[in-house]
Amino acid sequence: MLYNWELAVSIAKTASEITLPPTSNGCPTVFEFLCQRFPNIGEAIWRERMAAGKVHWHHGELISEKTPFLPSRRVCYYREVTAEPVIPFAHRILYQDEHILIADKPHFLPVTPGGDYVNECLLARLKRDTGLVDLVPVHRLDRDTAGLVLFSLNPKSRPGYYQLFVTGSIQKQYQAVARLTPQLQQAALPQRWQIDNRIEKAKPGFINRIAAGEPNARSTIELTERSGELGLFQLQPHTGKTHQLRLHMLSLGVPILYDRYYPELLPKQAPNFSQPLQLLAKQLSFNDPTIGEARHFESGFELQERPA
């Protein structure tokens, strides 16, 4: 399926969800909580959504401006954007059975709705392709990263797949291309590093930083191929912090090619489809908790700047 770049007014076809916290934090109504939780949306927009029936409890009952705050209840709402980018790259379904689906995600496509994207995400595309309503990503990839994503189809077996990531029982192998330092351009191959440090939130809140303190992020990184200034790296994350591999490559002095966040956060602009982040989730390997068999999947995508 071919997707063309365009801008379109979009209302999400499926609801986003948020679980209300155990305490109201001074918000007597759901309306006031949503205004506090999403200050950039504005009270008028929430009023319009509620009046149009676009905010409701998980079981379907509509929420109005006067609906009281109910601790720990799930609220569903439909996101809207006035100009949604459509990504001109196709995804692929590599495998599907009654429990899981393995998708191959192109660069630039988010896994789930967020920011400027409501319908143009991998989850929404897969629901349209398969007709499966109860399709849930078990883990996430950055929008800028291409490669393998594991989805759960069956609520009964879903906890077992979540546990693979919680316990670190799944092996993830990534590839990245970076511009080499003069030293690495001359070094014998392969070069291997074990990175073990601490990653914390930075400002703005969608980026992270390496900080002092007890390590919470571990990766194994290996430089395996080289051509001129560019090198191909094999990366294995042992933990799952946001932007972990991007920050760990930066810590080696070799930020991933075309990274718009690290080392410098560049201004927001329309995607430059000719320069995708050179990071690919290439392989997933795990013991399937439902059938007890070893599984191995490999992305069909290749990094465009891979050394010859």
Side-chain angles (χ1 to χ4, degrees), residues 12-303:
K13 295 180 175 64
T14 56
S16 297
E17 293 188 7
I18 185 170
T19 301
L20 299 182
T23 58
S24 68
N25 196 27
C27 298
T29 65
V30 178
F31 169 75
E32 290 176 75
F33 168 79
L34 292 172
C35 291
Q36 182 184 90
R37 175 66 176 78
F38 303 104
N40 294 330
I41 293 179
E43 294 184 6
I45 293 176
W46 283 117
R47 288 193 180 95
E48 290 174 5
R49 290 182 182 178
M50 289 178 175
K54 296 176 183 176
V55 184
H56 58 83
W57 296 114
H58 185 258
H59 54 71
E61 182 183 352
L62 294 180
I63 292 174
S64 72
E65 190 176 339
K66 296 182 179 180
T67 300
F69 181 99
L70 298 178
S72 303
R73 292 278 295 276
R74 291 163 70 185
V75 173
C76 300
Y77 61 95
Y78 291 82
R79 299 181 64 253
E80 302 172 359
V81 294
T82 56
E84 181 175 17
V86 179
I87 305 305
F89 307 112
H91 61 281
R92 305 162 186 167
I93 297 176
L94 301 185
Y95 176 82
Q96 182 180 342
D97 62 24
E98 61 182 304
H99 297 285
I100 62 172
L101 181 153
I102 304 292
D104 213 359
K105 184 185 84 68
H107 287 105
F108 301 103
L109 184 72
V111 173
T112 57
D116 294 334
Y117 300 84
V118 294
N119 297 312
E120 188 60 341
C121 65
L122 182 60
L123 179 61
R125 284 188 181 184
L126 292 174
K127 286 183 176 180
R128 292 195 293 269
D129 289 351
T130 64
L132 296 169
V133 176
D134 198 359
L135 187 65
V136 177
V138 183
H139 65 121
R140 307 292 173 93
L141 289 183
D142 295 339
R143 178 166 61 88
D144 296 331
T145 305
L148 301 178
V149 185
L150 169 63
F151 287 82
S152 163
L153 283 64
N154 191 325
K156 293 181 179 179
S157 60
R158 188 167 297 152
Y161 295 101
Y162 277 127
Q163 280 298 112
L164 292 173
F165 292 87
V166 172
T167 60
S169 303
I170 190 164
Q171 289 74 52
K172 296 174 285 183
Q173 190 76 29
Y174 288 69
Q175 293 180 343
V177 173
R179 186 163 283 108
L180 301 175
T181 64
Q183 293 79 7
L184 288 178
Q185 292 178 37
Q186 302 299 322
L189 298 183
Q191 290 285 313
R192 193 170 188 269
W193 301 266
Q194 184 66 46
I195 310 295
D196 193 1
N197 56 24
R198 184 170 188 81
I199 291 177
E200 294 181 348
K201 284 289 184 186
K203 292 184 179 180
F206 56 84
I207 63 172
N208 282 351
R209 65 185 179 90
I210 294 174
E214 182 179 353
N216 61 4
R218 294 184 299 112
S219 303
T220 301
I221 297 177
E222 188 171 10
L223 172 61
T224 57
E225 297 179 34
R226 180 175 59 208
S227 178
E229 293 185 348
L230 296 182
L232 177 68
F233 293 79
Q234 309 293 332
L235 308 93
Q236 185 176 1
H238 305 293
T239 52
K241 291 294 181 182
T242 301
H243 298 166
Q244 174 175 317
L245 295 178
R246 297 163 78 163
L247 283 164
H248 282 177
M249 288 287 287
L250 177 64
S251 74
L252 296 176
V254 284
I256 298 173
L257 198 63
Y258 306 138
D259 195 334
R260 297 187 56 79
Y261 286 5
Y262 310 100
E264 178 185 2
L265 178 60
L266 300 180
K268 183 178 178 180
Q269 61 184 51
N272 182 349
F273 294 136
S274 68
Q275 294 185 338
L277 177 73
Q278 293 299 282
L279 180 62
L280 171 66
K282 188 65 176 179
Q283 298 179 26
L284 279 179
S285 302
F286 57 92
N287 246 358
D288 193 305
T290 303
I291 62 173
E293 294 181 2
R295 300 274 202 178
H296 177 80
F297 300 97
E298 186 159 336
S299 171
F301 290 118
E302 296 287 347
L303 295 172

